[in-house]
Amino acid sequence: MSGVEKRRTLQDLADAAGLSLAATSYALRGVRGSPATIERVRQIAADLGYTVDPIARALASGRTGSVGVSGSLRDLWQQDLSVLLTRALRRQGRYATIADADADPAQERLIVEQFAAQRVDGALVSPVDPTADYWRLLGPEIAVVAIGDALTTRPGTGSVLFDNRYGVQTALAHLATLGHRRIGLLAPALPSTPGRPAQVLAAALAGDLGIELVEISAPAATADAVEAATALLARADRPTAVFCLSDSLAFAVYRAARDTGLRLPGDLSVVGYDDHQLAALVDPALTTMAWDEDAIVEAAVSQLAGAVAQVPMFRPELIVRGSTAPPGSG
């Protein structure tokens, strides 16, 4: 006799509960039946050691219950966003397959191919290249929501968009009001596309504010960006402030400033663009643009389920902390 116990089936559960297969399935999922019946079926399932066979469920329903979640996870804010998306999906009885695009369009294409091969029910993506043709590999049967940038090559894709014009203008205006006229812009080294306007907007808005903008690209991860930030701060015409298009990059500027002997904010002001949970914990606390992550996640997951028709646009809020001051103060 084999020592491996036979896997319990839905029929075993139905026989033990004295119900039909359909009634047992409905009760197990909590979609039909009295509260007493639902509780009884779930208790019998626990006693029998019954677990849902995901392959059988997919074959029966044509749905896998899986949602692909993709972003560049070396960026601290996108790490947190992926966790929040996963939790929201779990509350709906769905599970996430999380993939790291690593700020690389080639890697992102492989992820899209993987999602298509796995027949995910949907995908929540923070795209590296929102204008790439590979998004079409996700067929029309897959619900897709892009967070931050619209997928211009895939008609029918849902979107949760960010008001980058307001965010960039507010951050630069804050520094200009303090008296900064030469400001560094540290941006992720990502493809320049029409769907990612923040960096393009910064150059145009800086001119309107009388700011000389020194633009420099850096890897998305904090540790990798320190070298680029150090090069910016080592210039003979060093800017008096740096506006970073992510908090991860702002933390790299903190490290570079420390290594080059610059005091924050006396010698250098820094503004981020996320309000990551570490922003309030670094010294000095980081001035940054804050997004309502909970509302963004709710909007994205609701769109994925087809519950929201319009495209929501989120506006960040300036959170002023200790990392900004007038030039040469302190």
Side-chain angles (χ1 to χ4, degrees), residues 248-328:
S248 291
L249 294 180
F251 299 145
V253 174
Y254 271 53
R255 171 64 185 271
R258 186 187 71 187
D259 291 348
T260 53
L262 296 176
R263 296 170 298 121
L264 303 180
D267 299 322
L268 183 74
S269 287
V270 182
V271 176
Y273 203 67
D274 288 334
D275 197 28
H276 183 267
Q277 56 185 320
L278 293 178
L281 302 179
V282 293
D283 185 23
L286 177 65
T287 295
T288 187
M289 303 300 299
W291 302 99
D292 187 342
E293 292 100 334
D294 291 336
I296 289 169
V297 167
E298 181 180 357
V301 173
S302 296
Q303 272 210 9
L304 192 71
V308 178
Q310 74 277 16
V311 176
M313 173 77 77
F314 286 91
R315 174 171 287 188
E317 175 187 2
L318 175 65
I319 306 296
V320 178
R321 299 192 178 102
S323 67
T324 51

Side-chain angles (χ1 to χ4, degrees), residues 203-224:
L205 294 171
D208 295 339
L209 293 166
I211 292 171
E212 180 186 358
L213 202 65
V214 181
E215 299 183 45
I216 186 169
S217 295
T222 296
D224 295 341

